[in-house]
Amino acid sequence: MDELTIIIPGIATILVLLVYYLSQPRLPIRINRAFLGILIAELFVMLTEGAAIYVNVRFQTSNMRELLYAANTLFLLTHIARSYLFFIFSSMTVKVYITKRSLRWLVRTPMIITTALLLSTYQFGTVFSIDRKFGYTDGPLYWITPACLLVYVAISVCIIISKRQRISEPELYGALGFNAILIIGSVLRIYAPHSLTVNLFTFIAVIIGYLSFENPGIYLSDRGGVFNKRAMKAVLEECIGNNSTYRALGFVLRGYMEERRIYGSSQIDRGITMISYYLKNKYPKHLIFYLRNGHFVIFDKEALNIFRIREELSERFRDTWKTRDTDLFLSVSFVKIGAESNIKSADVVIDNLIIALEKIGGSAITDNEMLDLDNTNEIDEVVKIKGALEYAVDNDLVEVFLQPIISASTGQTIGAEALARIRDEEGKIISPAQFIPIAEKSGYINMLGEQVFTKTCQFVNSNSFSKTGIKFVNVNLSPIQCMRSDLSERFIAIMRKYKAEPERIHLEITEQSMGDFDAIVKQVDNLKRAGFRFSLDDFGSGYSNLTRLKYYPFFNVKLDMDVVRDYCSNGGPFVPNLMNALKQMGYTITAEGIETKEMADKMKAIGCDYLQGYLYSKPLPTEEFVLKYSRIF
Ligand code: C2E
Ligand code: MG
Ligand code: MG
């Protein structure tokens, strides 16, 4: 009985692990099935070992030779099966799936040989025999079962090492550690076959495998127990690897960042948790993923009634989500994808989906529209622009176009705005409205902005600049650039390098970025101290706030094109009054988007200092601008 008391805690622990594992949400992927197989085999090894010991202890008293044979054979058979499962699991940790039939039989050979030898034991006493006096006795090939495990571990280690680049470093250590423990266990079994601590090693290996690859936490999002992006990647990889079909409906909470600002992070987090639970309960048969930033995906390998689900969700989102403290009004936009998309990389499928979700999440697509990733050029378009952007930035090919700024009082060109341009493969210009948002999301805006700034510095220190007689060039600064803690340092260094006078450069920041002003104020202050002046761009397009304006270092306000256009067509007292207030606060004012003489006259009449627009000129390549505006002395 003493021996049994060692086994019982092991059985209890593996049972707890098994029950816990089964009770957690699990992905239907192969590595999980292999691990479940290991857990069950581990349990059977312990149970059959217990049974064999139990019978052996009682052997002397009653004659149970056949039973003892059966118990030990069963125990060693489960042992062999477990060795094979350890190997299958190990190869899956590096995403090696042995699907070829011939190869499958080849890797089963050690298992088959060991099994055959074991089954011959009854007749020939090869692995063990049952002595009438002592019960279980080792045969000449007693070491064959641990040797079988050793062979599998050796193949596993070779596979893991050769495919190590497929997994992260901690995963690699997990996979190798797990096998190292198995080596110790099997060597011990060969040299000390009756030590019961051997099971302890396989048990430790199971725990390492669990913590490194099977811990449900690694595949679960932290909101509401749905799966995360890593889980989606694992499932997609398997679908793509098997060439099997899949369908998915993604949706995004529209204006997610804005909503976070309005409701507060914790409220939105609660909302996301509620949505996750709702989806899990409503669609228990489908997989639900939450990919962060308000992006959800409902996924299935087979049938997914995308249109019905979309209808149901649209309906649900018409209602509010009641958290403890508030009612959240959330709206959603949808994207659908399917295996037809022909993309052979899970990363690319997920990237495209996220790009699409970000795009529709920030745009005005209505509930009833849905972006279809299989039938759309939009994503290709984004990917193309991203490619052109990276190419231009990496090869210093970002071009600077200049658009004149006119003094309203003299009618003379007094300055210019520098506007970035890049080209596609055919040399056609891509509009900043398309590439700036992409550059901001990918971080490329920093290098792009620096190139525009560098080229502007070179220009304002050149003869060409003097020839045009203009006094300043405006450079646009994205709030993303200002969030970098080294922005001012780098800009000041560039300015010094090209000996550009800072008074000749005005930096434009859009009104939208005032929401983030606390985050950017330090860089703006440093730049101001270095002598740069600041313009507020696109004023009137967002939540214009006159009271707060005085805390910011602007000297000039640029009225947004839409505000100018609206006033010029519809009149009304708002714009003139706004202008009065701004003038009293000491700002000079620029009107953007002046396309006709009437517009220019109207804006001049209400006191605009500067005018900019197609009436005077479209943005021109720098050389053309210089040719057009050079003064002939
Ligand atoms: P923005 O700074 O407000 O620039 C003015 C935009 O209005 C320019 O568009 C210009 O071509 C356009 N525009 C000027 N006059 C007229 C007109 O009379 N009618 C019409 N319909 N449009 C006019 P563009 O060059 O496409 O640039 C769009 C936006 O992209 C810019 O708006 C600016 O926010 C951003 N951007 C451009 N270059 C850069 C850059 O180097 N860095 C950053 N961060 N943003 C940039
Ligand atoms: Mg601007
Ligand atoms: Mg503007």
Side-chain angles (χ1 to χ4, degrees), residues 508 537-538 560 592:
E508 290 189 10
D537 203 358
D538 300 343
D560 187 66
E592 293 189 288

Side-chain angles (χ1 to χ4, degrees), residues 302-352:
E302 281 123 28
L304 187 71
N305 192 335
I306 284 185
F307 290 91
R308 202 199 72 223
I309 295 176
R310 198 196 70 181
E311 280 308 303
E312 288 169 354
L313 289 178
S314 300
E315 185 62 41
R316 175 62 189 85
F317 275 90
R318 251 167 243 141
D319 202 356
T320 59
W321 298 84
K322 288 187 177 27
T323 67
R324 206 176 55 220
D325 308 313
T326 187
D327 274 18
L328 298 174
F329 287 92
L330 302 170
S331 59
V332 285
S333 300
F334 297 93
V335 173
K336 92 179 176 62
I337 48 169
E340 309 95 69
S341 56
N342 261 335
I343 299 174
K344 288 288 165 243
S345 143
D347 276 329
V348 176
V349 173
I350 295 177
D351 276 357
N352 285 355

Side-chain angles (χ1 to χ4, degrees), residues 471-523:
K471 306 231 163 354
F472 56 85
V473 176
N474 285 16
V475 174
N476 290 284
L477 257 193
S478 151
I480 310 281
Q481 286 172 271
C482 302
M483 284 176 192
R484 268 186 77 139
S485 57
D486 60 351
L487 172 88
S488 47
E489 214 177 287
R490 292 174 76 105
F491 269 35
I492 291 165
I494 294 169
M495 168 193 95
R496 296 213 171 111
K497 181 171 172 195
Y498 295 103
K499 300 190 175 67
E501 290 169 37
E503 310 78 65
R504 291 184 178 175
I505 296 178
H506 299 166
L507 298 171
E508 290 189 10
I509 303 186
T510 60
E511 189 194 60
Q512 257 93 12
S513 50
M514 282 175 67
D516 302 315
F517 213 81
D518 290 343
I520 69 176
V521 72
K522 188 158 178 281
Q523 298 305 312

Side-chain angles (χ1 to χ4, degrees), residues 216-445:
I218 58 183
Y219 285 130
L220 286 179
S221 111
D222 51 0
R223 317 260 163 76
V226 294
F227 292 111
N228 59 17
K229 186 166 148 191
R230 182 168 170 179
M232 176 150 178
K233 191 175 160 204
V235 173
L236 267 175
E237 268 171 356
E238 208 156 299
C239 287
I240 292 172
N242 290 348
N243 269 328
S244 61
T245 58
Y246 63 85
R247 314 247 294 148
L249 176 68
F251 70 88
V252 51
L253 303 182
R254 277 221 296 272
Y256 176 75
M257 287 301 171
E258 193 62 28
E259 300 284 343
R260 274 190 103 81
R261 255 208 286 273
I262 295 169
Y263 288 111
S265 302
S266 57
Q267 295 294 347
I268 291 292
D269 286 345
R270 262 180 227 141
I272 285 170
T273 308
M274 286 180 78
I275 297 169
S276 300
Y277 278 122
Y278 170 81
L279 293 171
K280 244 170 50 171
N281 291 332
K282 178 113 184 143
Y283 306 109
K285 292 217 174 75
H286 303 316
L287 293 174
I288 313 290
F289 300 98
Y290 178 63
L291 314 181
R292 303 185 51 220
N293 292 342
H295 301 164
F296 287 90
V297 180
I298 303 162
F299 183 100
D300 211 296
K301 287 187 187 170
E302 281 123 28
L304 187 71
N305 192 335
I306 284 185
F307 290 91
R308 202 199 72 223
I309 295 176
R310 198 196 70 181
E311 280 308 303
E312 288 169 354
L313 289 178
S314 300
E315 185 62 41
R316 175 62 189 85
F317 275 90
R318 251 167 243 141
D319 202 356
T320 59
W321 298 84
K322 288 187 177 27
T323 67
R324 206 176 55 220
D325 308 313
T326 187
D327 274 18
L328 298 174
F329 287 92
L330 302 170
S331 59
V332 285
S333 300
F334 297 93
V335 173
K336 92 179 176 62
I337 48 169
E340 309 95 69
S341 56
N342 261 335
I343 299 174
K344 288 288 165 243
S345 143
D347 276 329
V348 176
V349 173
I350 295 177
D351 276 357
N352 285 355
L353 178 68
I354 289 176
I355 291 172
L357 286 170
E358 273 173 0
K359 193 175 162 116
I360 58 172
S363 78
I365 287 188
T366 64
D367 282 353
N368 296 325
E369 284 175 59
M370 176 163 61
L371 200 60
D372 181 350
L373 274 195
D374 301 330
N375 293 317
T376 186
N377 297 325
E378 290 199 39
I379 298 311
D380 292 349
E381 193 65 30
V382 173
V383 172
K384 236 165 78 188
I385 293 171
K386 227 174 160 180
L389 175 69
E390 287 171 10
Y391 182 76
V393 170
D394 293 344
N395 295 292
D396 197 26
L397 292 175
V398 177
E399 294 170 46
V400 175
F401 276 40
L402 294 171
Q403 184 178 34
I405 296 173
I406 313 298
S407 157
S409 53
T410 64
Q412 280 185 349
T413 301
I414 189 162
E417 177 170 2
L419 294 156
R421 296 288 183 268
I422 62 169
R423 291 175 193 271
D424 65 13
E425 281 171 353
E426 289 141 29
K428 278 213 298 281
I429 296 238
I430 304 175
S431 143
Q434 289 182 291
F435 69 78
I436 295 287
I438 296 175
E440 286 180 333
K441 277 195 190 114
S442 62
Y444 261 80
I445 190 73

